């Protein structure tokens, strides 16, 4: 099930010389938004698939409220040229990421070195920001409980590259554009 709507969220006061939001600004936004219990509880949850609602992000950023049923995940992906932040509002998520920059274009398969894997547990109230071309996979490993998270990206996502992974081999599988998920 996919729910799409635009909801107003807590925002920062506009500065006279509005500039692009930083990773710290996005993390602050997702933290404040996740603390809005009425907003978090308003997200319809589906037992079979992820649900999401688009939010008004700060400074022209793209933001989403996402519901994660037990056992769901994103698969390996990146957010192209966007910086971002996300925070778990309820439940717990796990993030697996690569501590290396990948070439941006022109490849289909890469062999990763042994020391690039990172793992992070993100219980309710915990989140993180990340830079451009960050490659990760986010999962709700619970077998019983939904998780809900808040995400923000700037600039708004121009594309998402999806990957498959078998041991050290990372393979580019698909490139999605905004019209594929909105």
């Amino acid at each position: 099930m996919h729910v799409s709507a635009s909801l107003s969220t807590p925002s920062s006061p506009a500065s006279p010389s509005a500039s692009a939001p930083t990773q710290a600004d996005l993390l602050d936004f997702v933290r404040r938004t996740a603390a809005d219990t009425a907003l978090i509880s308003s997200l319809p949850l589906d037992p079979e698939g992820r649900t999401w609602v688009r939010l008004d992000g700060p400074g022209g950023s793209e933001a989403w409220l996402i519901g994660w049923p037990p056992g769901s995940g994103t698969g390996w992906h990146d957010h192209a040229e966007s910086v971002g932040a996300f925070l778990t509002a309820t439940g717990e998520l796990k993030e697996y990421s690569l501590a290396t920059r990948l070439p941006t274009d022109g490849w289909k398969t890469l062999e990763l070195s042994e020391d690039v894997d990172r793992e992070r547990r993100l219980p309710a109230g915990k989140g993180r920001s990340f830079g451009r071309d960050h490659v990760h996979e986010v999962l709700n490993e619970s077998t019983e409980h939904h998780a809900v998270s808040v995400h923000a990206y700037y600039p708004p996502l121009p594309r998402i590259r999806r990957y498959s992974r078998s041991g050290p081999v990372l393979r580019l599988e698909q490139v999605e554009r905004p019209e594929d998920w909105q």
Side-chain angles (χ1 to χ4, degrees):
M1 175 177 144
H2 164 240
V3 175
S4 182
S6 183
L7 300 176
S8 294
T9 55
S11 60
S12 302
S15 64
S17 60
S19 61
T22 65
Q23 288 175 234
D25 295 333
L26 296 175
L27 186 58
D28 181 58
F29 168 81
V30 298
R31 185 172 287 122
R32 285 182 291 107
T33 303
D36 182 342
T37 56
L39 175 66
I40 300 307
S41 65
S42 74
L43 179 67
L45 300 177
D46 184 309
E48 301 296 319
R50 289 190 302 149
T51 54
W52 55 88
V53 174
R54 187 166 185 153
L55 305 172
D56 294 325
S61 65
E62 179 173 347
W64 297 90
L65 180 62
I66 300 176
W68 305 75
S72 63
T74 61
W76 286 95
H77 68 283
D78 68 22
H79 305 98
E81 299 83 32
S82 298
V83 298
F86 71 101
L87 187 130
T88 306
T90 64
E92 180 173 295
L93 295 174
K94 184 169 267 186
E95 179 194 35
Y96 296 95
S97 63
L98 301 178
T100 187
R101 283 192 68 108
L102 301 180
T104 54
D105 289 306
W107 65 275
K108 290 286 185 188
T109 304
L110 289 176
E111 186 165 341
L112 303 169
S113 63
E114 292 180 19
D115 60 348
V116 299
D117 288 298
R118 299 295 181 268
E119 181 179 316
R120 184 178 309 223
R121 201 171 69 65
L122 298 162
K126 297 291 182 193
R128 67 162 312 192
S129 63
F130 52 85
R132 300 181 194 293
D133 300 309
H134 175 71
V135 177
H136 68 167
E137 174 179 44
V138 180
L139 305 163
N140 177 3
E141 293 184 330
S142 172
T143 58
E144 299 175 18
H145 303 287
H146 267 80
V148 175
S149 57
V150 181
H151 302 246
Y153 310 99
Y154 188 85
L157 297 172
R159 62 185 171 164
I160 293 178
R161 291 176 289 227
R162 298 212 176 265
Y163 306 96
S164 63
R165 177 135 186 225
S166 178
V169 177
L170 188 70
R171 182 180 317 278
L172 176 64
E173 296 291 346
Q174 179 179 359
V175 177
E176 296 176 0
R177 307 249 178 245
E179 57 271 15
D180 297 327
W181 65 81
Q182 294 184 7

